[in-house]
Amino acid sequence: MALRNLYKEIKGLKLKEVPAHLKPMLSIGYAKNAVRKGLDNYHAKYIETSSVDPLLHVCFGGMIFSYLVALPEERRHLEHKQHGGGH
């Protein structure tokens, strides 16, 4: 959705105008405001409505994170097994 809005903004600009349009969006202050706005929207949508969704987000996020952390070791084990590394 955000990329679609960005594309609509850039579509009418000339190529020379694009860097001047994008440069303010790449600043730290802009990023902080975007994160703050996203957290405010999340709080209004899930926390203030007493929804159970934040608990699900934490559970699924934790599962995905633990999978990604363990993935390199699992790939090493699989590669070792495929190369006939049995003892």
Side-chain angles (χ1 to χ4, degrees), residues 17-76:
E17 299 170 346
V18 172
H21 182 75
L22 292 179
K23 190 172 182 178
M25 294 180 189
L26 299 175
S27 68
I28 293 175
Y30 186 85
K32 285 181 182 179
N33 287 335
V35 169
R36 184 178 299 126
K37 184 179 176 184
L39 290 174
D40 288 343
N41 289 341
Y42 185 87
H43 186 268
K45 186 174 183 179
Y46 296 112
I47 306 299
E48 289 181 359
T49 59
S50 299
S51 175
V52 72
D53 285 343
L55 179 62
L56 297 175
H57 294 156
V58 169
C59 290
F60 286 117
M63 286 187 338
I64 291 169
F65 179 74
S66 66
Y67 175 77
L68 291 175
V69 168
L71 185 61
E73 186 174 344
E74 294 299 325
R75 290 186 67 158
R76 279 193 299 271

